[in-house]
Amino acid sequence: MNKILVVGSSNTDMVIKTSKFPAPGETILGGDFFMNAGGKGANQAVAAKRLGGNVSFLGKIGDDIFGKQALQNLKDDGIDVEPVRINKDKPSGIALITIDAKGENSIVVAPGANETLLPEDIDEKINEIESSDFILLQLEIPLSTVNYITEIASGKGKKVVLNPAPADKLLDALLADLYMLIPNETEAELLTGICVKDVKTAEQAAQYLKNKGVQIVIITMGSKGAFVLSDEFKGMIEALEVAAVDTTSAGDTFCGALVAKLSNGTNLKQAIEFATTAAAICVTRMGAQMSIPHEKEVSEFFN
């Protein structure tokens, strides 16, 4: 089994359910409140592990109760957390999440220690990159660190997979070093200037990114599914119809599941179909990491 190194954020999510999002200046009474382990990096690490991967996590947390609990949660899932760094001067990351009656979410993140994961931290854990086959990244850590890791990892022949969320502009040099890029429609539009709204525009955006040097482009399109452009396969993978209650970690589940399957030698089309199923199960449950299914559940649903 190939090893996956996930480098990214770890947050504690504070979630309130509500019938509708408040307008600016409006106070409304919400429903249930709960706290949940989150952060795009940690979510993807949990998804990759639960869905069959051999996973290590490299991130930065504060020396506080939130960081300690996040670390314990990752350990409980069987993830190697030895690479995790601790910042004694910054708090752990926090996300405030509001979820409406349709399952859509609105999120504000205070990055805390996540934004202090710098290239020198990567240098101290370079052995983790050297011993891994897949490097999975997102953009809740400094972009300079993402650029640094990508350049090093691709130079060592590693397969670098980037989920460019939250959306940000990317250097052409970074794109040229990527094995796989997994944006949603909004992120794809920011990167290409093409408004992605159907298969035709998704293909145009994907081709733009592939022309920049990305080997495989997968544009996730919510309930429509995902558009894939690669030398191996091109076309839409349809999403499964489910009653969504919380979409918070659907994208993270998709990314983690996909890399887990690829690391085990599954072909691209089957890996994406599996990841789509995992994401569909995820949105039928509340929470970030607590909503991520295990491999057996997805396999049974998939079959």
Side-chain angles (χ1 to χ4, degrees):
M1 183 190 297
N2 288 321
K3 183 180 167 187
I4 302 163
L5 173 64
V6 181
V7 187
S9 59
S10 172
N11 293 324
T12 298
D13 293 345
M14 298 188 181
V15 185
I16 296 180
K17 291 191 73 174
T18 179
S19 59
K20 66 177 184 107
F21 296 126
E26 181 185 16
T27 299
I28 61 175
L29 289 176
D32 294 338
F33 167 81
F34 60 92
M35 287 171 53
N36 184 28
K40 297 194 72 62
N43 291 349
Q44 291 181 20
V46 169
K49 179 63 181 177
R50 288 185 188 172
L51 296 162
N54 174 20
V55 183
S56 296
F57 178 68
L58 171 52
K60 209 159 191 182
I61 58 174
D63 187 20
D64 53 30
I65 188 169
F66 296 117
K68 291 182 173 99
Q69 186 60 57
L71 208 57
Q72 188 60 51
N73 291 335
L74 294 170
K75 286 180 184 176
D76 290 346
D77 262 301
I79 295 164
D80 176 14
V81 296
E82 191 281 328
V84 172
R85 317 290 288 154
I86 296 174
N87 185 328
K88 294 184 179 295
D89 301 317
K90 280 265 193 178
S92 298
I94 296 292
L96 303 179
I97 302 176
T98 308
I99 300 169
D100 73 5
K102 298 175 185 174
E104 291 298 326
N105 59 68
S106 174
I107 305 174
V108 179
V109 177
N114 292 305
E115 64 185 358
T116 69
L117 185 67
L118 302 174
E120 48 262 39
D121 294 303
I122 306 307
D123 286 339
E124 291 178 14
K125 294 295 179 180
I126 197 72
N127 62 305
E128 294 293 335
I129 293 175
E130 292 170 343
S131 64
S132 300
D133 303 281
F134 287 83
I135 314 295
L136 178 55
L137 299 159
Q138 325 75 34
L139 300 181
E140 284 186 342
I141 58 174
L143 187 53
S144 59
T145 305
V146 173
N147 289 331
Y148 188 72
I149 296 167
T150 302
E151 183 179 4
I152 289 174
S154 64
K156 293 179 180 294
K158 310 302 178 180
K159 292 179 176 177
V160 182
V161 179
L162 175 63
N163 171 219
D168 204 345
K169 293 284 180 74
L170 301 176
L171 296 173
D172 284 355
L174 171 64
L175 294 172
D177 283 336
L178 294 179
Y179 170 69
M180 183 182 293
L181 183 69
I182 312 174
N184 64 19
E185 306 110 300
T186 304
E187 293 146 8
E189 181 176 357
L190 180 71
L191 293 172
T192 66
I194 298 165
C195 178
V196 176
K197 57 184 186 294
D198 51 27
V199 174
K200 181 181 178 183
T201 50
E203 181 172 357
Q204 290 171 348
Q207 189 62 60
Y208 176 98
L209 293 164
K210 201 165 189 306
N211 290 345
K212 294 285 187 180
V214 183
Q215 294 181 48
I216 300 169
V217 181
I218 301 172
I219 300 177
T220 57
M221 301 172 68
S223 60
K224 295 175 190 162
F227 181 82
V228 186
L229 181 60
S230 72
D231 295 337
E232 180 183 335
F233 172 77
K234 180 178 91 169
M236 281 293 294
I237 302 288
E238 300 297 326
L240 302 177
E241 285 191 30
V242 294
V245 298
D246 182 2
T247 59
T248 303
S249 57
D252 296 333
T253 299
F254 180 92
C255 293
L258 176 56
V259 175
K261 279 297 169 188
L262 292 174
S263 74
N264 290 327
T266 303
N267 72 47
L268 180 62
K269 186 170 185 287
Q270 288 179 323
I272 296 169
E273 289 169 343
F274 180 88
T276 299
T277 305
I281 294 172
C282 163
V283 302
T284 65
R285 303 168 174 176
M286 289 297 299
Q289 286 170 32
M290 67 169 64
S291 71
I292 298 170
H294 289 78
E295 186 175 22
K296 185 181 178 186
E297 296 175 80
V298 182
S299 295
E300 288 172 355
F301 196 99
F302 187 60
N303 292 329

